[in-house]
Amino acid sequence: GVKVLDNVTFTVGRTDKIAFTASNEFAVPTLFKILMGELEPDAGTFKWGVSTSQSYFPQDNSAYFTDTEDSIIRWLEQYSKDTTETYLRGFLGKMLFSGEDVYKPVQVLSGGEKVRCMFARMMLFHSNVLLLDRPTNHLDLESITAVNNGLVNFKGVVLLSSHDHEILETVANRIIEITPDGCIDRQGTYEEYLVWKKENGK
């Protein structure tokens, strides 16, 4: 019954990589779910550009893996137009699933392996807008670095939330903080934003 998004308004440019922060831990996940059509907003509207396509990495991916006996490769197949094993292995190989690994049931995967499956699924869509809600939870340092580099090099739009200071600092060129009364929206790096906040007593 608590309002987590109030007077939130922003326009995304084609070169924006936006880090979202909020003191309320439900604010950003709720916003992302609304933008992906998983939640109905009580009020307000949003509109994606006609040439955009979106891929979503939710903070909690458990819904994608429940009620299935599938192996990793069969699980990925349901999201792909091309269902040939070679094609799917290409994406799984990038996520370090090789050889017999791809036949492992998704039920027995660790948190980190499920995250890698979710990234393989995202790559299948070739989207030009990525929404990532804490994508590096459950990952080791090497994987976090790989995700970080991938997002830095990504040519599309990124909407991101993370507890990883390094990722926020190196990926984002704009920061939006969701507050109880609306948005603070600033161009620049995360570090620059923190300095600005301190100087302005925000």
Side-chain angles (χ1 to χ4, degrees), residues 44-45 92 118 151:
T45 58
L92 291 171
M118 292 299 288
L151 291 176

Side-chain angles (χ1 to χ4, degrees), residues 16-22 28 32 132-136 144 147-149 151-152 158-177 186-194:
D16 280 342
K17 293 186 176 180
I18 306 173
F20 286 86
T21 68
V28 179
F32 283 8
L132 302 127
D133 195 359
R134 301 192 194 167
T136 55
I144 290 170
V147 171
N148 196 338
N149 293 340
L151 291 176
V152 168
V158 176
L159 309 181
L160 168 76
S161 84
S162 179
H163 286 319
D164 188 309
H165 188 101
E166 177 76 8
I167 281 189
L168 295 179
E169 176 60 23
T170 54
V171 174
N173 56 21
R174 180 178 168 192
I175 314 297
I176 293 180
E177 180 170 353
R186 302 277 305 173
Q187 292 289 342
T189 66
Y190 186 59
E191 206 56 63
E192 287 165 350
Y193 177 66
L194 295 178

Side-chain angles (χ1 to χ4, degrees), residues 85-153:
E85 186 159 315
T86 317
Y87 181 74
L88 296 170
R89 273 184 177 275
F91 290 92
L92 291 171
K94 289 188 183 107
M95 290 294 109
L96 308 180
F97 292 114
S98 57
E100 295 297 304
D101 290 348
V102 302
Y103 302 121
K104 223 170 157 177
V106 294
Q107 288 295 347
V108 303
L109 299 181
S110 68
E113 287 172 323
K114 284 178 179 172
V115 165
R116 282 155 47 201
C117 284
M118 292 299 288
F119 277 125
R121 173 184 172 275
M122 283 183 90
M123 288 192 303
L124 273 178
F125 300 146
H126 301 292
S127 301
N128 54 16
V129 180
L130 304 182
L131 291 85
L132 302 127
D133 195 359
R134 301 192 194 167
T136 55
N137 291 5
H138 306 297
L139 292 181
D140 59 28
L141 192 57
E142 193 181 350
S143 304
I144 290 170
T145 305
V147 171
N148 196 338
N149 293 340
L151 291 176
V152 168
N153 295 327

Side-chain angles (χ1 to χ4, degrees), residues 54-90:
Q54 301 79 36
S55 281
Y56 175 44
F57 184 99
Q59 196 179 127
D60 176 10
N61 62 35
S62 53
Y64 291 84
F65 297 98
T66 48
D67 302 326
T68 175
E69 304 290 318
D70 283 345
S71 62
I72 295 173
I73 197 158
R74 290 287 83 80
W75 177 87
L76 189 63
E77 184 184 275
Q78 67 186 312
Y79 301 109
S80 180
K81 289 191 180 82
D82 185 339
T83 56
T84 57
E85 186 159 315
T86 317
Y87 181 74
L88 296 170
R89 273 184 177 275

